[in-house]
Amino acid sequence: MKITFYGHSCFGIQINDVNLLVDPFITPNAKASSIDINNIEADYILLTHAHNDHTADVMDIAKRTEAVIISNFEIVTHYKNLGLEGHPMNHGGKWDFEFGTVKYVNAVHSSSFSDGSYGGNPGGFVLEGERKNIYIAGDTALTYDMKLIPLQTKLDLAILPIGDDFTMGIDDAIIASDFVECDKVLGCHYDTFGYIEIDHEEAKRKFFEKDKDLMLLEIGEHIEL
Ligand code: NI
Ligand code: MN
């Protein structure tokens, strides 16, 4: 499994020959100006919720790649009405895709499109790939529901928001890492705009002091799991 950071909460996840894209927000993100969305491969686009900082580039990328949108029922219906392909889910449900199993799990946040229309309830994804399992929390508060995840899935990586203000901050993300029983954390949803700027060294130190590993990737950088 190869995971590439495209800025904010956007990741490319390659499992064998299948390319997943999570929460594309690249062209409006000044920090991601080095990324050209025309070069991004996507067979599936996973959307945690409808907010524009997670969906801004869905139309352009999905039209070009014919990717299948995986999200909650309302978001998938929205994009199907615009002519895209989609696989609708809702909280607690899972589905076996060609690349692995996806479960749509709870997030405590909100979810509306930029015109104010309803984007269902926000969620996260537990992705069980061929050999590695990851949790993509989406935008969320720390919530006790996270404790349900390790009852069924042994995680290799948790992708957690850490920017505070709109989501968990560092201290709550450390507790979330305990709840999901995964000490290897990839941070997201920080630094993109003013409310969510963080001190990288302090964040890493706080995780380190709890025997946890916080990874903060450069935009365009990737890791292999
Ligand atoms: Ni949001
Ligand atoms: Mn967001």
Side-chain angles (χ1 to χ4, degrees), residues 5 7-9 25 28-32 53 160-170 187-204 214-219:
F5 184 47
H8 197 49
S9 289
F25 173 75
N29 182 0
K31 293 188 185 320
D53 62 316
L160 303 179
I162 56 171
D164 225 329
D165 192 80
F166 297 114
T167 68
M168 295 189 283
I170 300 297
C188 68
H189 216 273
Y190 62 92
D191 285 0
T192 316
F193 21 78
Y195 297 113
I196 60 174
E197 283 167 4
I198 65 161
D199 180 329
H200 291 210
E201 290 316 309
E202 183 189 16
K204 287 179 181 174
L214 174 67
M215 289 176 286
L216 302 177
L217 299 181
E218 297 291 330
I219 292 175

Side-chain angles (χ1 to χ4, degrees), residues 44-221:
Y44 298 88
I45 299 177
L46 282 68
L47 302 175
T48 60
H49 64 297
H51 286 159
N52 190 57
D53 62 316
H54 301 256
T55 59
D57 292 314
V58 170
M59 283 304 295
D60 283 343
I61 295 173
K63 268 192 204 159
R64 178 178 54 81
T65 60
E66 300 182 351
V68 175
I69 313 288
I70 301 173
S71 190
N72 68 34
F73 175 78
E74 289 79 4
I75 290 173
V76 167
T77 301
H78 170 92
Y79 286 113
K80 277 188 168 177
N81 288 338
L82 294 170
L84 302 183
E85 298 285 316
H87 179 108
M89 301 187 74
N90 218 325
H91 298 82
K94 63 178 187 302
W95 187 263
D96 291 328
F97 292 90
E98 56 174 323
F99 55 84
T101 301
V102 172
K103 187 171 188 179
Y104 193 62
V105 296
N106 291 350
V108 175
H109 191 66
S110 56
S111 177
S112 50
F113 289 98
S114 41
D115 64 359
S117 63
Y118 181 53
N121 284 311
F125 296 101
V126 175
L127 168 58
E128 297 189 351
E130 192 187 29
R131 287 184 302 275
K132 300 291 179 181
N133 302 327
I134 66 173
Y135 169 46
I136 301 160
D139 283 9
T140 184
L142 176 64
T143 163
Y144 240 57
D145 286 340
M146 292 169 176
K147 285 178 172 259
L148 297 172
I149 293 169
L151 296 181
Q152 290 175 317
T153 305
K154 174 139 186 43
L155 294 173
D156 297 288
L157 180 73
I159 301 179
L160 303 179
I162 56 171
D164 225 329
D165 192 80
F166 297 114
T167 68
M168 295 189 283
I170 300 297
D171 296 329
D172 283 0
I174 288 170
I175 299 170
S177 152
D178 283 333
F179 283 3
V180 300
E181 298 179 14
C182 180
D183 291 331
K184 192 169 180 183
V185 173
L186 181 53
C188 68
H189 216 273
Y190 62 92
D191 285 0
T192 316
F193 21 78
Y195 297 113
I196 60 174
E197 283 167 4
I198 65 161
D199 180 329
H200 291 210
E201 290 316 309
E202 183 189 16
K204 287 179 181 174
R205 179 180 51 75
K206 283 185 167 181
F207 273 79
F208 184 76
E209 285 170 356
K210 299 288 184 185
D211 288 326
K212 296 174 185 293
D213 180 21
L214 174 67
M215 289 176 286
L216 302 177
L217 299 181
E218 297 291 330
I219 292 175
E221 192 182 357

